[in-house]
Structures are given as structure tokens and as C-alpha cells.
């Protein structure tokens, strides 16, 4: 991770983990923190699932997980893997045979839950299939489905029980000389998740998949995930993340990226800095930002845009952004380019104009990047 010597208070020191490959996506080590989501279509409907995978990939997902609850789903997985622009993680519960079938179908990773995959013999068969098909494994411990003996030992789901479950399964994989794995210890409770992940980070060098499970709807789940994942990422823990929302997978990807963007851990698309607006605003800030967010969705180049209602904060914010607009009087405002006041623009034409300026700047940044490579 590049460190910021000018603003040391922005530095995040990432935990040093081992790197594995999930298909062609590196996870762990110094690889960018991968963003994942999961489809919620029927896997037996490959067309619908492929459409959802493509939409998630278009939104920036590096990996997409697909549930494999039955044999028909495992069969459909082959077509989904073939059509997917990103590696597919197969989600396996209860039936170890689905894990074997998913590996055969070309999944790049099998997510198995130690609490419900069965005895060691069955896990061994899944490991063999993964190895034979160049497939990684995620040990996905969940507070809601811990093994019976751990619940008896600890009395209730708790961080220690989750970590013990995870480490037991790491041992099984290692005993089979299988090392292409990552691990998660998810709970819907932010405190429990955070404590479990911190202990896990101390106990293993395996790449860590972060998530707050069953986080809730778009707003509540986003906040819970931002608090839970945000503090762990800030501590340097986490190599791949999934935000679980009762919402469209594309929303999960967007929220995941926003969390990473807020911490300066990854950059993608336009980072809009906007004021909440008040009686001083020279134009309708809220409506403008809503429109710009939609109109700028196609921009993938990392860049910044400030949309500020008036001169109280406008020039200051514009100083630090690639493109800026600050409301003024008489139905027009000032456009800033690379931090400098450039020209005036009427409020009516400003949205189209800002979209053009952002597209121009994105093309310029892309060209500079290509020339440097
Ligand atoms: S920048 Fe201006 S318009 Fe925006 S909230 Fe502050 S004072 Fe109000």
C-alpha cells in the first residue's frame, strides 16, 4: 500500500496476508481489496442469473457468488461460469456433493460452511475436487450455524467459538496440503463480527473475507456494514468484502466500493463531494446530485467532482477536486477545473455541461495513465 507522507493520518497499514487466486483475481497480499456480491435469482434460471452477474460486474464486482442448493443448480452453474465476465464463487451448504459438482462446473471458489458441510471425510472429498479443478475454497463460518460441539463448549455463539471453528477447518485443509483458501467469520452483530475478525487476523495469515451477515435493508444494512467493515478495514484487516443487503446485488457492489473509497483503499468512478444544501444554495443541490449520480454511472476512471451550493464552502472544496461547480447568484455558478475557477455556467445548462467536463477529464486521465504504462 502506498503511504501518504504528506498526510500521515490517512495511512492504513494492511495486515500481511498470503495471496491466493480466485480464478484470475488475486486475493490477499498486496492485491486490491476485492469487492464481491451474490446473485438472488434462481441459479436454475441461467439467463436471469447471468444478467445479474453481468450487471454486478459492470458495477465493479470483482467476484460474484452464486448459490448451489441442488443438482439442477450445479448443472446450470456451468453455463453461468461460461458466460460470466468475472470468476464465480459457488455457495455450498449441507450437501458436500454440490461442492464437488460446482468445482467440476468451473467455479473459481467454493464457499463451504464448516457448521453444515458434514464430517471430515466429506470435506476431504470437496478438497480433492477443488484441487483437481484449480478451485479455491472459502471457509465461511457463520455465528448462526456453528457446530454443535462448539455451541456446547461456549454456551452460545461468540467470537472465540467462531474463530475456533475457522481454525479447525483451516487445519483440515492444511492437513490435506490445501492452501488456496480464504476465511470469513460473519455475524449479524457488528460487535461479535468485529471481535471475531480481529482475533482471526491474529491467528492466521490466510486472506480474510469480510462481511456483516444479514445486515438488513439498503439504508440500515449500509450503515451497519460501513461501521463493521469500515473499522476493520481501517485497522488493515480484510482482503475481500461483501456487503450483504436485502437489495439488488448492484447496490451491494456500490456500497462496497463507497466504503473502500471513503477509506482511500480503492478508487473507481466519480467521487462526488456535495454539500447538504441550505437557504444559501444558488441552485437545487439535492436534485442536481441525484441526477449527476445517474448520469455519471458509466465513468469508471477514479476522479472527484464537487457540487457545492454556495461560496461558503464551494471554492475550498473545488480546490481539491478535478471538476467543481459552486452556486452563485442570478441563476448561474462557477465551474472549477483542476481546482481553479474556470468559467461561469447557467444553472439550466450546468448538468449537461458538468457531464461533458467530467467525461473530458476522465478521457484525459485515462490517456495519461495509458501513456505511463
Ligand atoms: S455550502 Fe452553502 S449552500 Fe451548501 S450547505 Fe453550506 S452554506 Fe448551505
Amino acid at each position: 500500500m502506498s503511504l501518504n507522507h504528506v498526510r500521515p493520518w490517512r495511512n492504513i497499514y494492511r495486515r500481511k496476508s498470503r495471496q491466493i487466486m480466485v480464478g484470475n483475481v488475486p486475493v490477499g497480499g498486496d492485491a486490491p481489496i476485492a469487492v464481491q456480491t451474490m446473485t438472488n435469482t434462481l441459479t436454475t434460471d441461467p439467463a436471469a442469473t447471468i444478467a445479474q452477474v453481468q450487471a454486478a460486474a459492470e458495477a465493479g464486482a470483482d467476484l460474484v457468488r452464486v448459490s448451489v442448493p441442488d443438482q439442477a443448480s450445479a448443472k446450470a452453474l456451468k453455463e453461468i461460469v461460461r458466460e460470466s465476465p468475472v470468476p464465480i464463487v459457488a455457495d455450498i451448504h449441507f450437501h458436500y456433493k454440490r461442492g464437488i459438482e460446482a468445482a467440476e462446473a468451473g467455479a473459481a471458489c467454493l464457499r463451504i460452511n464448516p457448521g453444515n458441510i458434514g464430517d471430515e471425510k466429506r470435506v476431504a472429498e470437496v478438497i480433492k475436487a477443488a484441487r483437481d479443478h484449480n478451485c479455491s475454497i472459502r471457509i465461511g463460518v457463520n455465528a448462526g450455524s456453528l457446530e454443535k460441539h462448539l455451541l456446547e463448549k461456549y454456551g452460545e455463539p461468540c467470537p472465540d467459538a467462531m474463530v475456533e471453528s475457522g481454525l479447525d477447518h483451516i487445519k483440515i485443509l492444511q492437513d490435506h496440503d490445501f492452501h488456496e483458501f480464504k476465511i470469513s467469520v460473519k455475524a449479524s452483530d457488528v460487535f461479535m463480527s468485529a471481535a471475531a475478525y480481529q482475533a482471526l487476523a491474529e491467528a492466521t495469515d490466510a486472506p480474510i473475507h469480510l462481511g456483516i451477515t444479514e445486515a438488513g435493508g439498503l439504508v440500515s444494512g449500509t450503515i451497519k456494514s460501513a461501521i463493521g467493515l469500515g473499522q476493520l478495514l481501517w485497522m488493515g484487516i480484510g482482503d475481500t468484502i461483501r456487503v450483504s443487503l436485502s437489495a439488488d446485488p448492484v447496490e451491494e457492489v456500490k456500497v462496497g466500493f463507497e466504503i473502500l473509497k471513503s477509506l482511500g483503499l480503492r478508487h473507481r468512478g466519480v467521487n462526488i463531494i456535495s454539500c447538504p444544501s441550505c437557504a444559501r444554495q444558488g441552485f437545487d443541490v439535492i436534485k442536481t446530485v441525484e441526477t449527476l449520480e445517474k448520469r455519471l454511472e458509466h465513468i469508471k476512471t477514479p476522479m472527484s467532482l464537487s457540487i457545492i451550493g454556495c461560496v461558503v464552502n464551494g471554492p475550498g472544496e473545488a480546490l481539491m477536486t478535478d471538476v467543481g461547480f459552486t452556486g452563485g447568484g442570478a441563476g448561474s455558478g462557477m465551474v472549477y477545473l483542476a481546482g481553479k475557477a474556470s468559467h461561469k455556467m447557467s444553472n439550466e445548462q450546468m448538468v449537461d455541461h458538468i457531464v461533458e467536463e467530467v467525461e473530458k477529464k476522465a478521457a484525459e486521465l485515462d490517456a495519461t495513465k495509458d501513456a505511463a504504462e
Side-chain angles (χ1 to χ4, degrees), residues 258-309:
E258 288 304 325
I259 293 173
L260 294 176
K261 273 155 79 174
S262 303
L263 290 167
L265 287 166
R266 261 189 97 170
H267 304 277
R268 182 184 199 272
V270 185
N271 186 19
I272 301 184
I273 288 139
S274 59
C275 76
S277 82
C278 73
R280 287 183 198 274
Q281 65 180 357
F283 64 101
D284 188 336
V285 174
I286 294 176
K287 210 169 115 222
T288 304
V289 170
E290 260 174 32
T291 311
L292 283 171
E293 274 179 350
K294 287 206 180 71
R295 296 266 312 262
L296 296 173
E297 260 178 358
H298 63 293
I299 305 281
K300 297 187 174 78
T301 314
M303 58 181 291
S304 53
L305 166 68
S306 56
I307 300 293
I308 308 289

Side-chain angles (χ1 to χ4, degrees), residues 23-68:
N24 59 2
V25 174
V27 174
D30 57 1
I33 296 170
V35 175
Q36 313 198 18
T37 184
M38 187 168 174
T39 54
N40 55 22
T41 46
L42 283 174
T43 307
T44 46
D45 182 349
T49 306
I50 290 163
Q52 217 173 47
V53 170
Q54 281 167 342
E58 185 57 30
D62 301 294
L63 303 167
V64 177
R65 181 155 46 117
V66 173
S67 200
V68 185

